């Protein structure tokens, strides 16, 4: 089984991570947990004043800040995470 887990760093998505970590039966039957994070689009007034390469970096850094702790927690619990 594969699991897709959207996460935004909120208490609700963190509880979903903990739920997976606490379920031994799920670990036995799960090949991989795929984490997904979608960032809100920057307001167009701000986006027009920033270079496009920098916008990508902003989105990338914001995603990493959310995904990194969830990935570590799931890996520590024994899941393969992508």
């Amino acid at each position: 089984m594969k699991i897709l887990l959207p996460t935004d760093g909120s208490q609700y998505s963190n509880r979903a991570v903990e739920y997976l970590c606490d379920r031994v039966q799920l670990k036995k039957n799960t090949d991989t947990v795929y984490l997904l994070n979608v960032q809100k689009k920057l307001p167009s007034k701000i986006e027009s004043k920033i270079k496009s390469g920098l916008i990508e970096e902003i989105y990338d850094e914001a995603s990493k800040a959310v995904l990194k702790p969830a990935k570590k927690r799931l890996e520590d619990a024994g899941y393969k995470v992508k």
Side-chain angles (χ1 to χ4, degrees):
M1 172 173 44
K2 294 174 176 49
I3 296 174
L4 175 62
L5 180 62
T7 183
D8 60 1
S10 70
Q11 66 177 343
Y12 305 107
S13 61
N14 291 339
R15 284 171 51 193
V17 169
E18 290 305 317
Y19 179 87
L20 289 178
C21 292
D22 293 341
R23 299 302 181 269
V24 175
Q25 192 62 29
L26 277 176
K27 284 184 226 178
K28 291 179 184 176
N29 298 323
T30 302
D31 298 328
T32 307
V33 175
Y34 293 89
L35 294 176
L36 171 70
N37 177 258
V38 178
Q39 296 292 313
K40 290 182 183 178
K41 186 170 171 58
L42 291 173
S44 58
K45 288 181 182 181
I46 294 173
E47 195 172 285
S48 66
K49 297 178 192 240
I50 300 174
K51 294 179 184 178
S52 63
L54 186 56
I55 292 171
E56 297 293 325
E57 282 185 46
I58 292 168
Y59 288 136
D60 192 44
E61 289 299 317
S63 289
K64 285 179 183 176
V66 170
L67 295 172
K68 189 175 180 181
K71 182 179 182 196
K72 179 169 180 5
R73 178 69 180 106
L74 289 163
E75 286 176 338
D76 288 349
Y79 286 100
K80 180 180 174 188
V81 181
K82 290 189 177 188

